[in-house]
Amino acid sequence: MTYLPGETLQITITGQVARIVDGSPWSEIRLDVADQSGGITLPIPLGWAAAKVIRIKPAAGVPKPGELWQNCQGAELFVTKDRYGNPQFATADGRTHSIEWMNNTFGPLTPIRQLPEREREPDWTWDENDDNPGSCTDPSGQVWDLTAQYRDGEGHVWHWAGGFGRDGDDGPIRPLMSRRDWSRTDVQITDIPGPLSQLPADDEDAGPVTS
């Protein structure tokens, strides 16, 4: 078992102090323990059956999503997020493991590099102070009239559903659209078969939308 300078450990020692011996016949780690008196450095023999060692934090700190780490066997570990937003490791076989489990089972853990972040598509923008905005702007700078109706590439007519939605947990925010016949509702505008063409106000399909 090996350890790295800077790792945070929790060591539970069971026994009774009988005597103090200078030096140790075994390889040892020296543990800095902080207390109100300023702290002390304790020598802990490696492989000592009476001492239970739990790894608390890797020497390089807590792994962050987007980083690539490796365990003591050299296996690469990609840092992702669990359903609660906490960092976790994903292995090459597709399995996920908590930082604590991997650290104690295959530590010490060391970072390799920060992987480049996936470029995120910008949000569509609108006047957020307006409860009923009349237009919004897509990432390319095109302004879309939210009071108008649009015909898609399959001939269906759509109108703004009155809200905006995000694609996934960290996807871009886009306007939500509904079909004029209400067969589909609250669909992100980019999920509608294109191209979208704005209907003129005098088009026979551009009349008032009724529920």
Side-chain angles (χ1 to χ4, degrees):
M1 184 69 70
T2 58
Y3 299 92
L4 296 178
E7 281 195 274
T8 302
L9 307 176
Q10 175 181 317
I11 300 179
T12 302
I13 301 176
T14 303
Q16 185 178 38
V17 178
R19 58 194 175 101
I20 299 175
V21 180
D22 292 330
S24 170
W26 305 287
S27 298
E28 64 183 26
I29 59 175
R30 294 182 176 269
L31 187 69
D32 289 329
V33 181
D35 59 17
Q36 295 179 349
S37 64
I40 188 173
T41 299
L42 297 177
I44 306 296
L46 295 178
W48 189 18
K52 178 182 180 182
V53 180
I54 299 175
R55 296 181 190 270
I56 301 298
K57 184 175 63 175
V62 178
K64 299 179 180 61
E67 295 177 341
L68 188 66
W69 286 57
Q70 68 179 5
N71 63 19
C72 65
Q73 298 178 342
E76 293 187 345
L77 309 167
F78 179 61
V79 187
T80 63
K81 292 181 180 180
D82 63 19
R83 58 183 300 183
Y84 303 106
N86 300 314
Q88 65 177 4
F89 283 124
T91 54
D93 59 5
R95 298 182 180 181
T96 57
H97 304 279
S98 70
I99 302 297
E100 294 77 12
W101 181 88
M102 185 63 70
N103 195 27
N104 276 288
T105 307
F106 294 105
L109 308 177
T110 54
I112 300 176
R113 64 182 182 277
Q114 173 74 39
L115 296 180
E117 295 184 3
R118 177 178 60 87
E119 184 175 352
R120 180 181 178 277
E121 180 184 333
D123 295 331
W124 291 49
T125 59
W126 67 96
D127 183 359
E128 297 185 23
N129 295 320
D130 189 346
D131 293 334
N132 190 31
S135 65
C136 65
T137 305
D138 68 20
S140 71
Q142 179 179 346
V143 177
W144 293 74
D145 184 353
L146 296 178
T147 67
Q149 297 181 59
Y150 296 84
R151 181 177 287 113
D152 67 19
E154 298 176 349
H156 301 289
V157 176
W158 298 77
H159 63 273
W160 182 46
F164 296 84
R166 186 183 298 279
D167 184 12
D169 293 334
D170 60 350
I173 297 177
R174 308 184 183 106
L176 300 176
M177 308 291 285
S178 294
R179 274 190 188 173
R180 181 176 172 81
D181 61 6
W182 300 102
S183 59
R184 295 184 65 190
T185 59
D186 295 334
V187 177
Q188 285 213 338
I189 192 169
T190 52
D191 292 336
I192 299 174
L196 294 181
S197 56
Q198 182 175 332
L199 299 181
D202 59 354
D203 189 288
E204 63 180 6
D205 290 329
V209 175
T210 58
S211 58

